[in-house]
Amino acid sequence: MRLVVAFALVAAVTATTTGALTFREARTGVLQQSQDTVIQQLRTHVTRLAPELVLPASRDALRRFAADVAAAEPSGAWRVLVVYRGLRVTSVPDDPFEELTPALREAVDSRSATVFQRVNRADHTALVVGMSVAFGSAEGSGWPLSGLQVFLTVPQTTEQAYVDALVTAAERAAVPALALAVLLALLAARGVLRPVRALRHATRSIAEGRLDTRLAVDGSDELAELSHTFNETAAALEESVAELRGMEARARRFAADVSHELRTPLAAMSAVTDVLDEDAAGLDPDTATAVRLISEETVKLARLVDDLMEISRFDAGAAVLHADEIDLAESLRRTLASRGWTDTVEARLPEPDALRGRVDPRRLDVVVANLVGNALRHGARPVRLSLREGERSGTGRRVVIEVLDSGPGIPDDVLPHVFERFYKSDAARSRTEGSGLGLAITEENVRMHGGTVRAANRPEGGAVFTVELPLRRNESAPDGATPDEATREGRA
């Protein structure tokens, strides 16, 4: 649009300027030719008729002279005024001769040259010519004035018609010029913007993941060079992304394979450590300590393998949400009871059946257990677990789960990374009680439910983890779908 407007403005300015200059020159030429012709004819007729006039002349002689001068023009458009020693006669009886201005009269009185003036009236424009008649003598050294003055007025109707025709022609030429400029602008814009639009669509396609998108390269101008550069960049990006995806797939497969292969020996080790734990009381102190250490490390290793298997399922897109409508408060109470945290954690939960929603009970249990266990390990008591209905949003009702502790809180530089895998706030700390994947698994499970989880520090001290989940119910299932099918999210 800017290009079209620019072309139109340039064309309008050019057409206006050219038309104005052409009009001025043509108008000046028409009027100049007209006035030169009239002055030359007046001089010729006066020179021919003046010798027949006997001076001093009477009024009747002057009237005949004026009529003869006017009649010398075949068109009959001349009107003549003759002034001689106070006598004033016109070729047309009782003609007021209003076109004669005092300035022209004064110019004729003060000089011997022929003078002229264009006078605009309400209904027409007229050319007024004035001259003093002089008689020459062969012995004389000059041209003495006779006191006879002749004034002529000629309506410039024909000249005005020519000028009006020029204006009309200029106006009619401006419209095609503007139309041609707009057409050229559209053609130029199409030639310039078509490759740009193609580049925009290709860039958007790349952003949407279609890395095999390429542009057709035509010509050798800057746009063709840009298209060629885009194709090279897209090819390099596709190659890099393919390599990264291959590396990521191999890494996920390696982690899954290692975790799977470790499960069998870990199961055997767990069985052996259970037997050793039962007999540890009868062993010597050093052997008993070693047995307990092996048992603890085996449990940690088993937990790590389970978490790796879970993360592998998330990465592979194989994690499935099996949702069911449950009493959310009762589910949280069971999570605390199954881990022996009922007396350790302060629970602020609603009455039974006050808050129900469709969630995956196993995954909700993992979310709450990871958050509460994290608060007990890294925070300080009292630890509080609360459940309430959140504010209604554009997506419907939501439920809010909060886990907070009374510890020192989370350092500000750690907050953005708490949900990253294997992240350690202290680089010097090589071992942790957990696997380092608990919060990452929590985030993935919350995301599968269509919710959000965030970490923050309380003003009064301690950390708080907030989980928001959509509060889905059975009646929200689409027509023709079972409740389980309506809430099953598919893949993470």
Side-chain angles (χ1 to χ4, degrees):
M1 181 58 65
R2 289 194 298 268
L3 189 59
V4 172
V5 171
F7 267 78
L9 289 177
V10 170
V13 172
T14 303
T16 303
T17 304
T18 304
L21 294 176
T22 304
F23 169 76
R24 188 183 68 176
E25 294 298 325
R27 179 177 180 274
T28 302
V30 170
L31 297 178
Q32 183 71 38
Q33 181 180 4
S34 172
Q35 72 190 23
D36 290 346
T37 302
V38 170
I39 292 173
Q40 182 63 35
Q41 290 178 348
L42 178 61
R43 284 177 178 175
T44 301
H45 297 326
V46 170
T47 301
R48 179 174 58 84
L49 297 174
E52 300 178 0
L53 183 64
V54 179
L55 300 178
S58 63
R59 177 179 293 275
D60 292 337
L62 293 175
R63 182 176 292 109
R64 285 193 301 271
F65 176 73
D68 292 341
V69 173
E73 173 59 32
S75 65
W78 283 14
R79 289 165 40 228
V80 178
L81 169 66
V82 177
V83 178
Y84 178 72
R85 293 183 180 182
L87 295 176
R88 177 186 174 96
V89 296
T90 59
S91 60
V92 179
D94 300 326
D95 187 354
F97 219 84
E98 296 176 349
E99 292 84 357
L100 181 59
T101 63
L104 183 63
R105 181 65 182 271
E106 182 181 355
V108 173
D109 290 338
S110 61
R111 68 187 68 175
S112 59
T114 302
V115 297
F116 66 91
Q117 183 181 26
R118 280 187 292 272
V119 179
N120 293 321
R121 291 301 177 186
D123 55 347
H124 69 281
T125 300
L127 174 65
V128 183
V129 181
M131 61 180 298
S132 295
V133 180
F135 293 94
S137 174
E139 293 82 6
S141 58
W143 296 85
L145 297 177
S146 63
L148 182 67
Q149 295 177 341
V150 179
F151 297 92
L152 169 67
T153 177
V154 182
Q156 294 193 301
T157 306
T158 304
E159 290 77 6
Q160 185 63 43
Y162 289 157
V163 172
D164 292 342
L166 288 174
V167 173
T168 302
E171 292 176 349
R172 290 178 178 177
V175 175
L178 288 176
L180 180 60
V182 171
L183 178 61
L184 292 176
L186 291 175
L187 293 176
R190 181 183 179 186
V192 173
L193 297 181
R194 182 172 55 185
V196 175
R197 290 194 182 102
L199 179 61
R200 182 186 64 184
H201 294 321
T203 305
R204 184 177 300 170
S205 179
I206 289 288
E208 293 173 354
R210 295 188 289 273
L211 301 181
D212 57 343
T213 304
R214 299 293 184 271
L215 291 173
V217 180
D218 299 324
S220 59
D221 55 3
E222 289 81 0
L223 291 174
E225 183 178 353
L226 178 61
S227 300
H228 181 69
T229 304
F230 174 86
N231 290 340
E232 291 181 344
T233 304
L237 179 62
E238 183 180 16
E239 183 179 354
S240 299
V241 170
E243 183 178 355
L244 290 175
R245 286 175 177 172
M247 294 173 60
E248 183 181 6
R250 289 192 295 271
R252 287 198 303 264
R253 187 166 56 250
F254 175 78
D257 292 343
V258 169
S259 301
H260 185 270
E261 293 298 328
L262 286 176
R263 297 191 72 176
T264 300
L266 277 175
M269 292 173 61
S270 298
V272 172
T273 54
D274 289 342
V275 174
L276 292 176
D277 284 339
E278 295 177 357
D279 298 334
L283 301 175
D284 61 273
D286 293 338
T287 304
T289 302
V291 167
R292 293 189 184 95
L293 179 60
I294 292 174
S295 178
E296 292 174 359
E297 294 301 322
T298 302
V299 172
K300 292 179 182 179
L301 184 57
R303 185 183 302 119
L304 174 60
V305 169
D306 290 338
D307 289 345
L308 284 174
M309 292 289 291
E310 186 73 6
I311 285 291
S312 299
R313 282 191 288 270
F314 285 123
D315 290 342
V320 179
L321 193 73
H322 299 283
D324 191 13
E325 183 171 336
I326 62 173
D327 182 353
L328 299 178
E330 181 62 26
S331 177
L332 268 58
R333 290 189 183 94
R334 290 177 181 174
T335 298
L336 297 179
S338 64
R339 291 164 176 82
W341 292 339
T342 303
D343 298 331
T344 306
V345 177
E346 178 185 350
R348 297 183 179 180
L349 306 176
E351 296 297 325
D353 286 330
L355 235 124
R356 300 183 65 85
R358 291 190 61 80
V359 297
D360 187 327
R362 184 186 71 83
R363 296 189 183 279
L364 180 63
D365 176 77
V366 171
V367 169
V368 177
N370 283 343
L371 293 180
V372 173
N374 183 77
L376 291 173
R377 285 193 301 270
H378 302 291
R381 299 180 183 181
V383 173
R384 186 167 68 242
L385 170 65
S386 63
L387 173 68
R388 71 176 189 277
E389 185 174 353
E391 298 180 359
R392 183 181 295 270
S393 64
T395 57
R397 299 169 61 197
R398 302 180 74 85
V399 64
V400 178
I401 302 173
E402 282 187 347
V403 177
L404 55 89
D405 61 68
S406 304
I410 305 173
D412 293 337
D413 59 333
V414 176
L415 270 176
H417 309 286
V418 292
F419 295 105
E420 294 180 5
R421 301 174 184 181
F422 299 110
Y423 181 80
K424 298 179 181 180
S425 59
D426 185 1
R429 190 160 50 93
S430 59
R431 291 181 59 83
T432 61
E433 295 184 18
S435 65
L437 297 173
L439 292 181
I441 293 175
T442 297
E443 185 182 33
E444 294 290 347
N445 282 317
V446 172
R447 187 180 301 165
M448 286 190 67
H449 284 86
T452 59
V453 58
R454 60 183 182 274
N457 289 318
R458 297 191 300 156
E460 60 270 22
V464 56
F465 286 83
T466 305
V467 176
E468 291 189 14
L469 300 175
L471 194 59
R472 298 185 179 92
R473 302 298 299 271
N474 275 348
E475 57 268 23
S476 63
D479 294 340
T482 64
D484 287 340
E485 290 172 341
T487 57
R488 187 164 299 171
E489 298 292 338
R491 297 185 176 181

